[in-house]
Amino acid sequence: MTPPRLLASLVLVFVLIGAIYFVAGLAFGGGDKSPAVAVEGVTSTPRPTTDAGGKPTTVPQSGPDDGCGPTVDSSFLSANQIVAYYGNPYAQQLGILGQHEPEELASMLRDESQKIDGLNGFRGVEPGFDLVYETAQPNPGNDGLFLQYVDPDTMTTWVDLACREHFFLFLDLQIGRSDIETEVRKVLPYLDGSNVHIAIDPEFTMGPGEVPGQVIGHVDAAQINAAQQILEDHVEEKGLPDKVLIVHQFDTAMITDPENIVDFPHVHVVIDMDGFGPKETKIRKFATFTAPAEHSGIKVFYHQDDPVLTDEEVEQLNPDVIIFQ
């Protein structure tokens, strides 16, 4: 029998998930964003991932010549599309990455990438995992950050798999009550990997007094530029290939001044239209949000989009990054 306190906690989490659907639906005009507040303990109980200095406690050996590939340069996204699966290993609700075993996902992703490659003309296709490394939570936790991190052993599984398969690996950061610079620096050891990059989700970047799931967060260009500067410095210091920075967006207010995002030589920013809903609305918002961006991305929701865009319809938009959730 479920203990009363645990039952109450689970009810609270599911209420918050419903609230996110409701708020996102208002912002998108009929459904916009999948819930990203994880249900704690759905498939595993995560353990702390950082030491006292805030760095991962288990990081596979890697570097500029690690052979993990693919590597990025200034022309990579002109010649290739990235096709990625999104999710968190602990929560099936957050996307396909949490709904299958890692090796099975790798096979599925290769099949999906081959289908895309048959539609996109001269461009190549590179598969990737968009792994939610830190998930926003309704409770503050011991550190007050409202974040749950993927544990080191699980990270090793995904880092090793991505390297072995020559896939991209994006570490998705939801920030919570922390700040972007702090959270980006926490994952820098993983970014020694030539194929490892990051994504930032402004929806869960909270200000003082704000709680994930109760409000839609936002970032400004200065915060995005700060993340880029950290990546730029890391690339130059370590002699690494260029890095990709994905920033999710489904509402205009989530990035307050996109025109002030700076182009860094070794960091390539992708604005990903990260909303679910009617096809026409997705296409319109994709055009609006990605117009000022260096590179474009779109997320396809298998269960929330109505109807789901076909691969052919996605290719008509010609995004640089395609993420399936």
Side-chain angles (χ1 to χ4, degrees):
M1 184 173 182
T2 304
R5 292 183 62 186
L6 176 58
L7 180 60
S9 297
L10 290 173
V11 169
L12 173 60
V13 170
F14 280 106
V15 168
L16 285 169
I17 288 175
I20 292 171
Y21 271 105
F22 176 73
V23 173
L26 291 178
F28 196 72
D32 181 82
K33 182 73 168 67
S34 72
V37 175
V39 179
E40 295 182 342
V42 170
T43 59
S44 178
T45 301
R47 295 179 284 121
T49 61
T50 57
D51 58 22
K55 293 185 178 181
T57 55
T58 303
V59 181
Q61 293 297 312
S62 56
D65 298 320
D66 57 13
C68 291
T71 58
V72 173
D73 59 19
S74 59
S75 62
F76 178 85
L77 286 173
S78 298
N80 298 279
Q81 287 178 314
I82 297 172
V83 175
Y85 278 167
Y86 176 97
N88 178 283
Y90 305 136
Q92 297 180 9
Q93 296 94 325
L94 296 188
I96 189 171
L97 191 145
Q99 297 167 5
H100 302 271
E101 292 300 314
E103 296 288 350
E104 182 184 5
L105 280 164
S107 177
M108 294 167 58
L109 181 56
R110 283 206 177 278
D111 290 344
E112 181 62 48
S113 298
Q114 288 175 3
K115 289 194 296 182
I116 297 293
D117 199 25
L119 299 171
N120 70 350
F122 73 92
R123 301 180 86 177
V125 170
E126 295 290 352
F129 297 123
D130 187 346
L131 186 150
V132 183
Y133 173 74
E134 54 181 42
T135 308
Q137 298 293 301
N139 58 288
N142 293 333
D143 56 11
L145 299 180
F146 291 83
L147 293 172
Q148 180 187 71
Y149 295 85
V150 175
D151 74 84
D153 290 344
T154 302
M155 279 300 301
T156 297
T157 296
W158 288 96
V159 170
D160 287 351
L161 176 62
C163 180
R164 189 166 62 250
E165 296 287 341
H166 299 281
F167 285 2
F168 281 106
L169 177 63
F170 291 90
L171 303 184
D172 216 290
L173 310 178
Q174 296 193 348
I175 310 301
R177 285 267 194 94
S178 186
D179 62 85
I180 286 177
E181 294 179 69
T182 296
E183 296 308 306
V184 171
R185 292 189 187 280
K186 285 181 182 179
V187 298
L188 280 183
Y190 289 119
L191 296 178
D192 286 353
S194 63
N195 62 326
V196 183
H197 307 263
I198 66 170
I200 294 172
D201 196 341
E203 179 183 3
F204 299 102
T205 302
M206 299 287 101
E210 295 179 343
V211 175
Q214 295 183 7
V215 297
I216 296 175
H218 70 277
V219 300
D220 58 25
Q223 292 168 292
I224 295 172
N225 293 338
Q228 289 195 83
Q229 186 67 66
I230 294 171
L231 296 178
E232 182 84 6
D233 292 344
H234 191 68
V235 165
E236 293 181 349
E237 177 186 348
K238 299 282 188 172
L240 298 168
D242 293 0
K243 294 297 180 183
V244 176
L245 169 60
I246 297 175
V247 183
H248 300 300
Q249 182 177 17
F250 65 81
D251 184 77
T252 302
M254 287 172 62
I255 303 176
T256 56
D257 53 347
E259 68 279 1
N260 292 323
I261 296 174
V262 175
D263 289 338
F264 282 73
H266 299 298
V267 182
H268 308 289
V269 176
V270 176
I271 302 301
D272 167 48
M273 210 303 285
D274 184 24
F276 67 75
K279 182 185 304 185
E280 295 77 12
T281 308
K282 285 180 69 85
I283 293 172
R284 174 175 56 82
K285 288 206 166 187
F286 170 83
T288 300
F289 296 149
T290 63
E294 180 184 7
H295 297 288
S296 64
I298 190 166
K299 186 181 283 187
V300 176
F301 292 81
Y302 285 123
H303 302 293
Q304 288 83 24
D305 280 339
D306 184 20
V308 178
L309 288 168
T310 65
D311 290 342
E312 290 81 3
E313 289 170 330
V314 170
E315 278 306 314
Q316 290 177 7
L317 303 175
N318 196 32
D320 298 311
V321 176
I322 306 166
I323 302 173
F324 292 95
Q325 179 167 339

